């Protein structure tokens, strides 16, 4: 987590006033471990161009209450500090998708539950909370459409829970084929489809794992088949592969 998350958190502070007035469509895009000091934008030029350069960076007075994944995500979802939502670290014992979260916070205190009650069509695609294991395919309250990553991160070989407004929740196992299984592509394709067809007003969350490790890049177009084996490599190993550097 970094100061870049503050743009998301502060943007959500406008949600209540937006819901109370004109019901505009809302698209919330989240990245994971987008750390400015660690160069989180260095290899994501489009994110830099479309979001960072056209947004606001709090380089002087900005702060986050906890530079850790699940506490920050819980604050984005609820608008509450960790001492008020009970999520103190990335473990189930620390209430990261723990019993207290599932039985209290998640049921009535997320922006999704408020938006749905206000008449929004709500949809979520991507990473949710680190300990989201979805036994019996649970889907958090407040979402008409759900495509949630099971667990923390992954670009290939992961599982998701999928649910629609008229379709029951089910578990989907993704493989290691590019482009259909590549996690950023899956999120993008679902979000694009929702934007085109969901009844308005809608609230859509696109929650990417990028640039969180294991830093698996999309294969260059000319080498998609040859580079499927690289999904288990680190970024350094991938960049050192001659099939990438020669492209």
């Amino acid at each position: 987590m970094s100061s870049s998350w503050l743009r998301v958190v502060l943007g959500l502070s406008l949600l209540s006033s937006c819901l109370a007035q004109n019901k505009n469509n809302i698209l919330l895009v989240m990245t994971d471990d987008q750390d400015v000091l660690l160069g989180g934008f260095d290899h994501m030029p489009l994110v830099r161009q479309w979001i960072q350069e056209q947004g606001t960076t709090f380089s002087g007075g900005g702060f986050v209450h906890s530079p850790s994944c699940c506490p920050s995500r819980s604050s984005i979802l609820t608008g509450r500090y960790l001492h008020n939502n009970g999520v103190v670290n990335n473990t189930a014992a620390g209430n990261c998708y723990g019993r207290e979260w599932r039985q209290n916070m998640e049921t009535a205190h997320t922006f999704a539950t408020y938006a749905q009650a206000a008449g929004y069509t709500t949809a979520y695609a991507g990473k949710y909370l680190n300990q989201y294991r979805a036994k019996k395919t649970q889907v958090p309250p407040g979402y008409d459409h759900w495509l949630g990553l099971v667990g923390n991160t992954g670009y290939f070989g992961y599982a998701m829970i999928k649910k629609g407004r008229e379709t029951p929740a089910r578990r989907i196992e993704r493989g290691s084929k590019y482009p259909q299984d590549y996690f950023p592509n899956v999120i993008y394709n679902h979000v694009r489809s929702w934007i085109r067809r969901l009844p308005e007003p809608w609230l859509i969350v696109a929650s990417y794992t990028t640039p969180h490790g294991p830093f698996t890049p999309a294969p260059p177009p000319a080498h998609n088949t040859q580079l499927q084996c690289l999904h288990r490599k680190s970024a350094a190993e991938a960049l050192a592969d001659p099939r990438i550097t020669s492209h």
Side-chain angles (χ1 to χ4, degrees):
M1 297 296 169
S2 70
S3 60
S4 61
W5 281 97
L6 290 173
R7 295 195 298 274
V8 177
V9 177
L10 293 176
L12 286 174
S13 67
L14 301 176
L15 181 59
S16 59
S17 61
C18 178
L19 296 178
Q21 300 173 14
N22 295 328
K23 293 183 178 180
N24 299 314
N25 293 326
I26 302 170
L27 174 62
L28 171 61
V29 179
M30 293 195 290
T31 59
D32 199 9
D33 279 2
Q34 191 84 59
D35 194 297
V36 175
L37 295 179
L38 295 180
F41 290 100
D42 291 353
H43 301 287
M44 301 177 69
L46 296 182
V47 175
R48 179 193 294 274
Q49 177 184 347
W50 294 342
I51 297 180
Q52 184 188 34
E53 293 180 356
Q54 299 185 46
T56 300
T57 298
F58 297 91
S59 57
F63 69 95
V64 62
H65 65 92
S66 174
S68 185
C69 192
C70 212
S72 287
R73 285 178 172 271
S74 66
S75 288
I76 292 172
L77 293 168
T78 64
R80 302 186 181 196
Y81 287 107
L82 60 87
H83 58 274
N84 290 324
N85 65 39
V87 181
V88 297
N89 57 43
N90 292 337
T91 68
N95 203 31
C96 180
Y97 200 65
R99 179 179 299 178
E100 172 64 20
W101 172 267
R102 298 193 308 271
Q103 295 181 353
N104 185 16
M105 282 294 120
E106 189 179 67
T107 57
H109 301 292
T110 68
F111 62 74
T113 59
Y114 297 136
Q116 191 179 62
Y120 273 74
T121 303
T122 54
Y124 192 109
K127 180 176 177 178
Y128 182 52
L129 297 177
N130 302 49
Q131 299 298 324
Y132 175 63
R133 303 303 179 192
K135 294 179 180 179
K136 298 182 181 179
T137 62
Q138 299 107 315
V139 172
Y143 295 100
D144 300 304
H145 302 269
W146 177 261
L147 186 69
L149 175 67
V150 177
N152 182 26
T153 187
Y155 293 87
F156 292 100
Y158 53 90
M160 305 190 83
I161 304 299
K162 183 177 183 179
K163 173 190 172 296
R165 175 174 276 175
E166 306 296 334
T167 56
R170 61 190 176 97
R171 184 184 177 99
I172 300 174
E173 301 288 343
R174 308 296 306 206
S176 58
K177 294 183 179 180
Y178 185 89
Q180 61 265 38
D181 292 320
Y182 189 55
F183 188 77
N185 290 358
V186 173
I187 302 309
Y188 168 77
N189 289 332
H190 275 80
V191 169
R192 183 178 63 174
S193 174
W194 286 338
I195 289 174
R196 291 175 174 176
R197 65 180 176 83
L198 290 187
E200 295 183 342
W202 45 250
L203 165 65
I204 297 175
V205 181
S207 180
Y208 292 89
T209 54
T210 315
H212 194 291
F215 317 114
T216 308
H223 300 292
N224 285 345
T225 302
Q226 302 94 312
L227 297 185
Q228 288 177 11
C229 62
L230 293 178
H231 69 83
R232 291 188 179 90
K233 292 190 173 184
S234 67
E237 291 172 321
L239 293 175
D241 193 288
R243 289 171 296 179
I244 293 181
T245 56
S246 62
H247 178 69

